[in-house]
Amino acid sequence: MIRLDKFLSEMGLGTRSEVKKLLKTKQVTVNKAVVSKPETKVNPDTDEVCLNGSKIEYKKYEYYLFNKPKGCVSATKDNVHGTVMDYITDAVHDDLFPVGRLDIDTEGLLLITNDGALSHELLSPSKHVAKTYFARIDGEVTQDDIISFKEGIDIGEERLTKPAELVIKKSGSVSEIELTITEGKFHQVKRMFEARGKRVIYLKRISMGPLKLTDDLKTGTYRALTQAETDALRQINCGK
Ligand code: URA
């Protein structure tokens, strides 16, 4: 059970004092009866709360797929740079955060939510959630790199990296590749290529578990996940 004023303000109907005005002016009903006391307790799952006759659906969690641009940090606050949260302008709740990190110069798919349990699952090393990156590499990427990435690379950690799938899209003095990894070590993709004597010059995440970045989602924009996407995320249980 939660307070009615909290319910209304969490659903984006205004600040606590704004929603108190809605209550005072008898615009809100609970199970068809006008309720004006902000402290009234409601059960969001079973009570029908309406504003001027329209039902307000209770959404505890929000999930957004963001196409991160370069230049912002994957954090909720930063003293120096803008953050990914600056782009999320119409969220209802104020406790959203990015799930994991992309470097300041990395673009692409970032999940933004206020579902801490789901975030924990997605980032848990034991879940081996696959992340695919598109990258441009300064240098020629070769079959030896494919084998080496499959076998595991020494990037200065206690253990070699887990087997990663490298697909060469274009080979040349600047190569284009897709790399799928199931870990999330700091600067992992850049360090893997560095260990092979090559430098990542552009990096973009294009998928994470069941989520895919599509061309219609422009850099710097976001959209709500579909029900099928949130259902697929909740089913993440790979590696077990
Ligand atoms: N690997 C990197 O090196 N950077 C990222 O932002 C993500 C993965």
Side-chain angles (χ1 to χ4, degrees):
M1 302 284 274
I2 67 168
R3 283 174 61 114
L4 183 56
D5 57 349
K6 184 165 194 291
F7 175 102
L8 295 169
S9 77
E10 276 195 9
M11 289 309 96
L13 298 179
T15 60
R16 286 282 187 102
S17 59
E18 283 164 349
V19 304
K20 274 186 188 130
K21 275 187 206 135
L22 296 176
L23 291 163
K24 224 176 173 180
T25 50
K26 303 198 184 320
Q27 297 184 65
V28 178
T29 55
V30 178
N31 302 327
K32 308 254 179 324
V34 171
V35 176
S36 53
K37 286 201 173 120
E39 67 274 19
T40 307
K41 289 280 171 58
V42 292
N43 181 336
D45 295 324
T46 53
D47 288 328
E48 188 187 65
V49 181
C50 294
L51 174 69
N52 298 319
S54 303
K55 185 166 183 217
I56 302 159
E57 297 293 344
Y58 185 68
K59 261 200 307 174
K60 187 165 182 200
Y61 296 123
E62 295 177 81
Y63 305 92
Y64 298 107
L65 195 155
F66 177 47
N67 186 354
K68 178 190 174 297
K70 281 184 186 153
C72 57
V73 292
S74 304
T76 51
K77 279 193 204 114
D78 193 273
N79 292 333
V80 180
H81 299 102
T83 79
V84 292
M85 300 316 299
D86 299 340
Y87 291 83
I88 313 299
T89 50
D90 64 358
V92 172
H93 293 89
D94 59 8
D95 56 352
L96 277 76
F97 58 87
V99 175
R101 276 160 197 253
L102 292 176
D103 297 337
I104 191 163
D105 58 349
T106 301
E107 297 183 355
L109 189 156
L110 193 62
L111 176 64
I112 312 275
T113 184
N114 57 340
D115 185 343
L118 183 91
S119 164
H120 184 77
E121 290 292 295
L122 281 172
L123 298 177
S124 161
S126 69
K127 300 289 177 188
H128 308 290
V129 173
K131 284 146 294 226
T132 301
Y133 294 85
F134 168 83
R136 273 192 205 100
I137 310 296
D138 186 10
E140 189 174 351
V141 178
T142 63
Q143 292 300 316
D144 280 352
D145 294 321
I146 294 180
I147 294 165
S148 180
F149 279 17
K150 194 171 234 134
E151 287 172 347
I153 300 255
D154 181 358
I155 57 168
E157 299 274 333
E158 222 169 279
R159 295 184 187 179
L160 297 185
T161 53
K162 295 236 159 60
E165 195 193 337
L166 176 62
V167 176
I168 301 170
K169 296 283 180 186
K170 197 175 121 197
S171 187
S173 59
V174 172
S175 306
E176 292 185 353
I177 62 95
E178 281 179 14
L179 178 65
T180 302
I181 58 176
T182 58
E183 306 164 283
K185 300 249 172 356
F186 186 60
H187 295 328
Q188 181 157 346
V189 175
K190 293 173 186 163
R191 286 162 71 199
M192 287 172 77
F193 277 99
E194 248 164 50
R196 300 286 306 162
K198 290 159 204 187
R199 196 166 62 88
V200 172
I201 50 177
Y202 173 80
L203 188 60
K204 177 180 191 166
R205 181 153 67 191
I206 55 175
S207 78
M208 180 177 181
L211 305 179
K212 311 263 176 275
L213 190 67
T214 48
D215 289 342
D216 50 340
L217 191 69
K218 296 209 168 67
T219 309
T221 67
Y222 65 98
R223 65 164 173 85
L225 292 195
T226 63
Q227 186 65 47
E229 286 171 325
T230 48
D231 289 348
L233 279 181
R234 288 212 183 86
Q235 271 165 22
I236 284 192
N237 220 0
C238 25
K240 279 207 164 167

